Coordinates of all heavy atoms in Angstrom, one line a residue:
T248 N 31.7 19.0 -11.3 CA 30.5 19.7 -10.7 C 30.3 19.1 -9.3 O 30.3 17.9 -9.2 CB 29.3 19.5 -11.6 OG1 29.6 20.0 -12.9 CG2 28.1 20.3 -11.0
P249 N 30.1 19.9 -8.3 CA 29.9 19.4 -6.9 C 28.5 18.9 -6.6 O 27.6 19.0 -7.4 CB 30.3 20.6 -6.1 CG 29.8 21.7 -6.9 CD 30.1 21.4 -8.3
D250 N 28.4 18.3 -5.4 CA 27.1 17.9 -4.9 C 26.9 18.6 -3.6 O 27.6 19.5 -3.2 CB 27.1 16.4 -4.8 CG 28.1 15.8 -3.8 OD1 28.9 16.6 -3.2 OD2 28.1 14.6 -3.5
E251 N 25.9 18.1 -2.8 CA 25.5 18.7 -1.6 C 26.6 18.7 -0.6 O 26.9 19.7 0.1 CB 24.3 18.0 -1.0 CG 23.9 18.5 0.4 CD 23.2 19.9 0.4 OE1 22.6 20.3 -0.6 OE2 23.3 20.5 1.5
A252 N 27.3 17.6 -0.5 CA 28.4 17.5 0.5 C 29.5 18.5 0.2 O 30.1 19.1 1.1 CB 29.0 16.0 0.5
T253 N 29.8 18.6 -1.1 CA 30.9 19.6 -1.5 C 30.5 21.0 -1.2 O 31.3 21.8 -0.6 CB 31.1 19.5 -3.0 OG1 31.4 18.1 -3.4 CG2 32.3 20.3 -3.4
V254 N 29.2 21.4 -1.5 CA 28.8 22.7 -1.2 C 28.8 23.0 0.3 O 29.3 24.0 0.8 CB 27.3 22.9 -1.7 CG1 26.8 24.2 -1.2 CG2 27.3 22.9 -3.2
Q255 N 28.4 22.0 1.1 CA 28.4 22.2 2.6 C 29.9 22.4 3.1 O 30.1 23.2 4.0 CB 27.8 21.1 3.3 CG 26.3 21.0 3.2 CD 25.7 19.9 4.1 OE1 26.3 19.6 5.1 NE2 24.5 19.5 3.7
A256 N 30.8 21.7 2.5 CA 32.2 21.7 2.9 C 32.8 23.1 2.5 O 33.5 23.7 3.3 CB 33.0 20.6 2.2
V257 N 32.6 23.5 1.3 CA 33.2 24.7 0.8 C 32.7 26.0 1.4 O 33.4 26.9 1.8 CB 33.1 24.8 -0.7 CG1 33.7 26.1 -1.3 CG2 33.9 23.6 -1.3
T258 N 31.4 26.1 1.6 CA 30.8 27.4 2.0 C 30.8 27.6 3.5 O 30.4 28.6 4.0 CB 29.3 27.4 1.6 OG1 28.6 26.3 2.1 CG2 29.2 27.4 0.0
G259 N 31.3 26.6 4.3 CA 31.4 26.8 5.7 C 30.3 26.2 6.5 O 30.3 26.2 7.7
I260 N 29.3 25.6 5.8 CA 28.2 25.0 6.6 C 28.7 23.8 7.5 O 28.3 23.7 8.7 CB 27.1 24.4 5.6 CG1 26.4 25.6 5.0 CG2 26.1 23.5 6.3 CD1 25.3 25.1 3.9
M261 N 29.6 23.0 7.0 CA 30.1 21.9 7.8 C 30.9 22.5 9.0 O 30.8 21.9 10.1 CB 31.1 21.0 7.0 CG 30.3 20.1 6.0 SD 31.5 18.9 5.3 CE 30.4 17.9 4.3
S262 N 31.6 23.5 8.8 CA 32.4 24.1 9.9 C 31.5 24.7 11.0 O 31.7 24.4 12.2 CB 33.2 25.3 9.3 OG 33.9 25.9 10.4
V263 N 30.4 25.4 10.6 CA 29.6 26.0 11.6 C 28.8 24.9 12.3 O 28.6 24.9 13.5 CB 28.6 27.1 11.0 CG1 27.6 27.6 12.0 CG2 29.4 28.2 10.4
H264 N 28.2 24.0 11.5 CA 27.4 22.9 12.1 C 28.3 22.1 13.1 O 27.7 21.5 14.1 CB 26.8 22.1 11.0 CG 26.1 20.8 11.5 ND1 25.1 20.8 12.4 CD2 26.4 19.5 11.2 CE1 24.7 19.6 12.6 NE2 25.4 18.8 11.9
G265 N 29.5 21.9 12.8 CA 30.4 21.1 13.6 C 31.1 21.7 14.8 O 31.8 21.1 15.5
R266 N 30.8 23.0 15.0 CA 31.5 23.7 16.1 C 31.2 23.0 17.5 O 32.1 22.9 18.3 CB 31.0 25.2 16.2 CG 31.6 26.1 15.1 CD 31.1 27.5 15.3 NE 31.7 28.4 14.3 CZ 31.5 29.7 14.1 NH1 30.5 30.2 14.9 NH2 32.1 30.4 13.2
R267 N 30.0 22.6 17.7 CA 29.7 21.9 19.0 C 30.4 20.6 19.1 O 30.4 20.0 20.2 CB 28.2 21.8 19.2 CG 27.4 21.3 18.0 CD 26.9 19.9 18.2 NE 26.5 19.4 19.4 CZ 25.3 19.7 20.0 NH1 24.4 20.3 19.4 NH2 25.0 19.2 21.2
D268 N 30.9 20.0 18.0 CA 31.5 18.7 18.0 C 33.0 18.7 17.9 O 33.6 17.7 17.8 CB 31.0 17.9 16.8 CG 29.5 17.6 16.9 OD1 29.0 17.1 17.9 OD2 28.7 18.0 16.0
D269 N 33.6 19.9 17.9 CA 35.0 20.1 17.8 C 35.6 19.6 16.5 O 36.7 19.1 16.4 CB 35.7 19.4 19.0 CG 37.1 19.9 19.2 OD1 37.4 21.1 18.8 OD2 38.0 19.2 19.8
G270 N 34.9 19.7 15.4 CA 35.3 19.4 14.1 C 34.2 19.4 13.1 O 33.0 19.3 13.5
P271 N 34.5 19.7 11.8 CA 33.4 19.8 10.9 C 32.5 18.6 10.7 O 33.0 17.5 10.8 CB 34.1 20.1 9.6 CG 35.5 19.6 9.8 CD 35.8 19.7 11.2
R272 N 31.3 18.8 10.5 CA 30.3 17.8 10.3 C 29.3 18.2 9.2 O 28.9 19.4 9.2 CB 29.5 17.5 11.6 CG 30.3 16.8 12.7 CD 30.6 15.4 12.4 NE 31.2 14.7 13.5 CZ 32.5 14.7 13.8 NH1 33.3 15.4 13.0 NH2 33.0 14.0 14.8
G273 N 28.9 17.3 8.4 CA 28.0 17.6 7.4 C 26.6 17.4 7.9 O 26.3 16.6 8.8
L274 N 25.6 18.2 7.4 CA 24.2 18.0 7.7 C 23.7 16.8 6.9 O 23.9 16.7 5.7 CB 23.4 19.3 7.3 CG 23.7 20.5 8.1 CD1 23.1 21.7 7.4 CD2 23.2 20.4 9.5
G275 N 23.0 15.9 7.5 CA 22.4 14.8 6.8 C 21.4 15.1 5.9 O 21.1 14.4 4.9
A276 N 20.7 16.2 6.0 CA 19.7 16.7 5.1 C 20.3 17.6 4.0 O 21.4 18.2 4.3 CB 18.6 17.5 5.9
D277 N 19.7 17.7 2.9 CA 20.2 18.5 1.8 C 19.8 20.0 2.0 O 19.0 20.5 1.3 CB 19.7 18.0 0.4 CG 20.3 16.7 0.0 OD1 21.3 16.2 0.7 OD2 19.8 16.1 -0.9
Y278 N 20.5 20.6 2.9 CA 20.1 21.9 3.3 C 20.4 23.0 2.2 O 19.5 23.8 1.9 CB 20.9 22.3 4.6 CG 20.4 23.6 5.2 CD1 19.3 23.7 5.9 CD2 21.1 24.8 5.0 CE1 18.8 24.8 6.5 CE2 20.7 26.0 5.5 CZ 19.5 26.0 6.3 OH 19.1 27.2 6.8
A279 N 21.6 23.0 1.6 CA 21.9 24.0 0.6 C 21.0 23.8 -0.6 O 20.6 24.8 -1.2 CB 23.4 23.8 0.2
A280 N 20.8 22.6 -1.1 CA 19.9 22.3 -2.2 C 18.5 22.8 -1.9 O 17.8 23.4 -2.8 CB 20.0 20.9 -2.6
T281 N 18.0 22.5 -0.7 CA 16.7 23.0 -0.4 C 16.6 24.5 -0.4 O 15.6 25.0 -1.0 CB 16.3 22.5 1.1 OG1 16.3 21.0 1.0 CG2 14.9 22.9 1.5
A282 N 17.5 25.2 0.2 CA 17.5 26.6 0.2 C 17.6 27.2 -1.2 O 16.9 28.2 -1.6 CB 18.7 27.2 1.0
A283 N 18.4 26.5 -2.1 CA 18.6 27.0 -3.5 C 17.2 26.8 -4.2 O 16.9 27.7 -5.1 CB 19.7 26.2 -4.2
G284 N 16.5 25.8 -3.9 CA 15.2 25.6 -4.6 C 14.2 26.7 -4.2 O 13.5 27.2 -5.1
V285 N 14.2 27.1 -2.9 CA 13.4 28.2 -2.5 C 13.8 29.5 -3.2 O 13.0 30.3 -3.6 CB 13.4 28.4 -1.0 CG1 12.5 29.6 -0.5 CG2 12.9 27.1 -0.3
L286 N 15.1 29.8 -3.3 CA 15.6 31.0 -4.0 C 15.2 31.0 -5.4 O 14.9 32.0 -6.0 CB 17.1 31.0 -3.9 CG 17.7 31.3 -2.5 CD1 19.2 31.1 -2.5 CD2 17.4 32.8 -2.1
A287 N 15.2 29.8 -6.1 CA 14.8 29.8 -7.5 C 13.3 30.2 -7.6 O 12.9 30.9 -8.5 CB 15.0 28.4 -8.0
V288 N 12.4 29.7 -6.7 CA 11.0 30.0 -6.8 C 10.9 31.5 -6.5 O 10.0 32.2 -7.2 CB 10.2 29.2 -5.7 CG1 8.8 29.7 -5.7 CG2 10.3 27.7 -6.1
Q289 N 11.6 32.1 -5.6 CA 11.6 33.5 -5.4 C 11.9 34.3 -6.7 O 11.2 35.3 -7.0 CB 12.6 33.9 -4.3 CG 12.3 33.4 -2.9 CD 13.4 33.7 -1.9 OE1 14.4 34.3 -2.3 NE2 13.3 33.3 -0.7
G290 N 13.0 33.8 -7.3 CA 13.3 34.5 -8.6 C 12.3 34.5 -9.6 O 12.0 35.4 -10.4
L291 N 11.6 33.3 -9.8 CA 10.5 33.2 -10.7 C 9.4 34.1 -10.4 O 8.8 34.8 -11.3 CB 10.1 31.7 -10.8 CG 11.0 30.7 -11.4 CD1 10.6 29.3 -11.1 CD2 11.1 30.9 -13.0
L292 N 9.0 34.1 -9.1 CA 7.9 35.0 -8.7 C 8.2 36.4 -8.9 O 7.3 37.2 -9.3 CB 7.5 34.7 -7.2 CG 6.9 33.3 -6.9 CD1 6.9 33.1 -5.4 CD2 5.5 33.2 -7.5
A293 N 9.4 36.8 -8.6 CA 9.8 38.2 -8.8 C 9.8 38.6 -10.2 O 9.3 39.8 -10.6 CB 11.3 38.4 -8.2
Q294 N 10.2 37.7 -11.2 CA 10.1 38.1 -12.6 C 8.6 38.2 -13.0 O 8.3 39.2 -13.8 CB 10.7 37.0 -13.4 CG 12.3 36.9 -13.2 CD 12.8 35.7 -14.1 OE1 13.2 35.9 -15.2 NE2 12.9 34.5 -13.5
L295 N 7.8 37.4 -12.6 CA 6.3 37.5 -13.0 C 5.7 38.7 -12.4 O 4.9 39.4 -13.0 CB 5.6 36.2 -12.5 CG 5.9 34.9 -13.2 CD1 5.3 33.7 -12.5 CD2 5.6 34.9 -14.6
L296 N 6.1 39.0 -11.1 CA 5.6 40.2 -10.5 C 6.0 41.5 -11.3 O 5.2 42.4 -11.5 CB 6.1 40.3 -9.0 CG 5.7 41.5 -8.2 CD1 4.1 41.6 -8.1 CD2 6.3 41.5 -6.8
A297 N 7.3 41.5 -11.7 CA 7.7 42.7 -12.5 C 7.0 42.8 -13.8 O 6.6 43.9 -14.2 CB 9.2 42.5 -12.8
Q298 N 6.7 41.7 -14.4 CA 5.8 41.7 -15.6 C 4.5 42.3 -15.3 O 3.9 43.2 -16.1 CB 5.7 40.4 -16.3 CG 6.9 39.8 -17.0 CD 6.6 38.6 -17.8 OE1 5.5 38.5 -18.3 NE2 7.5 37.7 -17.8
A299 N 3.8 41.8 -14.3 CA 2.5 42.3 -13.9 C 2.5 43.8 -13.6 O 1.5 44.4 -13.9 CB 2.0 41.5 -12.7
R300 N 3.6 44.3 -13.0 CA 3.6 45.7 -12.6 C 4.1 46.6 -13.7 O 3.6 47.8 -13.7 CB 4.5 45.8 -11.4 CG 4.0 45.1 -10.1 CD 5.0 45.3 -9.0 NE 5.3 46.7 -8.7 CZ 6.5 47.2 -8.6 NH1 7.6 46.5 -8.8 NH2 6.7 48.5 -8.4
G301 N 4.9 46.1 -14.6 CA 5.5 47.1 -15.5 C 5.6 46.6 -16.9 O 6.2 47.3 -17.8
G302 N 5.1 45.4 -17.2 CA 5.2 44.9 -18.6 C 6.4 44.2 -18.9 O 7.4 44.2 -18.1
N303 N 6.4 43.4 -20.0 CA 7.5 42.5 -20.3 C 8.9 43.2 -20.4 O 9.9 42.7 -20.1 CB 7.2 41.7 -21.6 CG 6.1 40.7 -21.4 OD1 5.7 40.5 -20.2 ND2 5.6 40.2 -22.5

Side-chain angles (χ1 to χ4, degrees):
T248 304
D250 64 354
E251 175 73 26
T253 309
V254 172
Q255 289 190 23
V257 173
T258 60
I260 289 177
M261 284 188 177
S262 175
V263 177
H264 173 58
R266 284 179 178 179
R267 47 105 35 84
D268 297 305
D269 198 23
R272 289 289 186 275
L274 294 167
D277 287 351
Y278 189 81
T281 298
V285 177
L286 289 168
V288 176
Q289 291 173 4
L291 289 165
L292 292 170
Q294 292 178 91
L295 293 173
L296 179 61
Q298 286 191 35
R300 294 177 56 231
N303 291 350

